Amino acid sequence: MGGGGVEKELLLNRRFLKQPNLIKDYEECQQQLKVAQDNLASFLSTRATFQLEQAQNTLPWKLIAPPQVNGYPEEPSLRKGLLNGLMLGVVAGVGAGLLRDRLDHGFRNPREVKEELGEALLGHIPHVAFFQGVREDKRFLLQELDRSSSKQPSAESSSESSAESPASGAIGGSPEKPALSGYQRFFYQEAFRNLFTSIRFLSSDKPLRSLALTSTLPAEGKTLVNALLAKTLSEMGQRVLLVDADMRKPQLHHRLGLNNLTGLSNLLTEANLDWRDVLQPVQGYDNWSVITAGTRPPDTTRLLSSKRMQQLVTELAESDQFDIVLYDTPPVLGLADAPLVAQHVDGLILLVSLDQVDRNLPKEAISRVRSSGAQLLGVVTNALTEESEHRASYGYGNRYKYGYGSKKGYGYGYG
């Protein structure tokens, strides 16, 4: 066995010693192969050249016509480029529209509000540039409107001047503040008259004596709508009482130029205080009275849910001094104040601002109102911007603009 191992070792050594020679032979073969390939390439090139020369000498070539460039090149093609651009533009436009529709969760027009919420649409409040910034600036709204009314021209003259110039008929305006034209004045007044008409038709057996108007979120124009509705009703001969039930962030006394020393909170906390003692008449409006919010209490929810609040609402509604009592309440979502007030009044109206509130939030607000047992009478849409008003007019038809652009109809119905 030992001898066999030695022989295998010697055999391997002899094979290993032959490796350098094999490597050398392989490299020589590679060099010879390269030389052969180069020679073959040179031969093929020479043969092609020889064949070309033979062909030229045997059959001489002749240029029949010079080469020409086609007037309509294959590339670039103007027609093809325009067609591709048009198709890409259409696809991009449709995609952008679908994307915007997915990302835009607000209501575009009153018709969408009615169909989406499934509630009665009582009216639409149009956009009037004159009212922009009322909430932020805490402007004395009535003083500006009264001054505009005193300077308002007659119906015939205003209609004629409006036909001459778009800026004519502007009343009480300034470069810093938008003016209130006669057309705009009639526009918003007619909207509130239509709203009151809708409210009156809600109950034929028993008239609605107390109403609360609220919104889903803050800054939807709720307090301004309440003030303008009360003003319009008082001008129509209705005896109106406007109660500021928003004791958290009261706004009515700023808009109407009233003091807020005593009001609703004082009536609910002081047993000996009568509501007639805190009643404030609005200057210049014989049929319009206001109860402001009063001193800010630490717990408004407790006051609004008390028996004293229920008794006060009933007493105000049954008194012979007012035809209708309006309550300005805080927004529904996040607070319990509006549903609590709505439990005591004849009905609640929800204000929905176009392009401002997510369309799912009013549904949630309506659900909260229903769960509290309050009666929701319907919704009112509000256009806070000029763009939303254009979309509202387009989606809601010409209900508010039809027939009011002519000279005869321009000044009709001023109150």
Side-chain angles (χ1 to χ4, degrees), residues 325-391:
V325 182
L326 302 177
Y327 291 86
D328 183 30
T329 67
V332 176
L333 295 186
L335 301 172
D337 298 24
L340 290 176
V341 176
Q343 290 178 356
H344 307 311
V345 299
D346 295 335
L348 177 70
I349 300 175
L350 179 65
L351 183 70
V352 179
S353 297
L354 303 180
D355 295 328
Q356 297 292 322
V357 59
D358 190 289
R359 61 178 60 202
N360 293 322
L361 296 182
K363 295 180 182 179
E364 184 178 347
I366 292 175
S367 177
R368 289 200 59 186
V369 172
R370 299 286 190 195
S371 62
S372 66
Q375 181 180 5
L376 180 65
L377 301 177
V379 296
V380 177
T381 56
N382 184 30
L384 295 179
T385 62
E386 186 175 358
E387 182 181 4
S388 60
E389 176 59 29
H390 287 321
R391 282 195 290 266

Side-chain angles (χ1 to χ4, degrees), residues 126-131 141-153 169 171 179-193 228 231-232 235 285 410-415:
H127 168 73
V128 178
F130 180 78
F131 298 126
L141 181 64
L142 283 186
Q143 187 179 28
E144 298 178 20
L145 289 176
D146 293 341
R147 183 169 60 249
S148 300
S149 178
S150 64
K151 296 180 180 180
Q152 181 179 318
I171 307 167
L180 179 65
S181 66
Y183 180 80
Q184 290 176 336
R185 183 180 182 86
F186 168 70
F187 200 26
Y188 86 79
Q189 284 183 342
E190 191 66 17
F192 283 105
R193 288 171 181 149
L228 293 178
K231 175 180 178 298
T232 305
E235 292 172 343
Y285 298 87
Y410 181 82
Y412 174 76
Y414 282 114

Side-chain angles (χ1 to χ4, degrees), residues 106-325:
F107 291 107
R108 314 292 287 180
N109 53 66
R111 183 178 301 171
E112 287 187 5
V113 176
K114 181 179 180 180
E115 295 176 353
E116 189 83 11
L117 301 182
E119 300 292 338
L121 182 60
L122 303 180
H124 171 69
I125 309 302
H127 168 73
V128 178
F130 180 78
F131 298 126
Q132 286 183 344
V134 170
R135 174 186 174 89
E136 293 78 6
D137 302 338
K138 294 184 178 181
R139 282 160 47 191
F140 187 4
L141 181 64
L142 283 186
Q143 187 179 28
E144 298 178 20
L145 289 176
D146 293 341
R147 183 169 60 249
S148 300
S149 178
S150 64
K151 296 180 180 180
Q152 181 179 318
S154 63
E156 182 178 359
S157 62
S158 64
S159 61
E160 293 177 355
S161 61
S162 65
E164 298 174 359
S165 172
S168 62
I171 307 167
S174 64
E176 297 81 8
K177 190 179 300 181
L180 179 65
S181 66
Y183 180 80
Q184 290 176 336
R185 183 180 182 86
F186 168 70
F187 200 26
Y188 86 79
Q189 284 183 342
E190 191 66 17
F192 283 105
R193 288 171 181 149
N194 290 332
L195 174 59
F196 178 61
T197 302
S198 300
I199 294 174
R200 292 181 61 181
F201 279 108
L202 289 175
S203 179
S204 58
D205 299 333
K206 180 182 178 182
L208 300 175
R209 302 297 299 272
S210 58
L211 296 174
L213 191 143
T214 186
S215 61
T216 304
L217 298 175
E220 289 194 61
K222 165 183 56 65
T223 301
L224 177 61
V225 170
N226 266 315
L228 293 178
L229 177 60
K231 175 180 178 298
T232 305
L233 295 184
S234 66
E235 292 172 343
M236 296 173 62
Q238 296 289 317
R239 297 172 300 172
V240 183
L241 172 61
L242 182 57
V243 181
D244 191 353
D246 189 353
M247 294 180 286
R248 300 175 185 269
K249 292 183 178 180
Q251 296 287 330
L252 273 179
H253 62 284
H254 293 298
R255 311 289 177 85
L256 306 180
L258 304 174
N259 70 77
N260 193 32
L261 301 178
T262 57
L264 179 61
S265 61
N266 305 92
L267 287 175
L268 299 178
T269 55
E270 301 177 21
N272 297 327
L273 187 62
D274 187 75
W275 59 267
R276 297 172 183 81
D277 299 332
V278 300
L279 203 65
Q280 298 187 56
V282 179
Q283 186 177 1
Y285 298 87
D286 298 334
N287 299 326
W288 187 5
S289 302
V290 175
I291 295 179
T292 61
T295 307
R296 182 176 300 179
D299 190 357
T300 59
T301 304
R302 183 176 180 180
L303 293 181
L304 295 176
S305 60
S306 62
K307 292 184 178 180
R308 173 62 177 161
M309 179 64 184
Q310 182 177 4
Q311 295 172 357
L312 177 62
V313 172
T314 302
E315 187 175 352
L316 292 175
E318 293 179 353
S319 67
D320 295 332
Q321 296 191 21
F322 312 108
D323 297 320
I324 188 170
V325 182

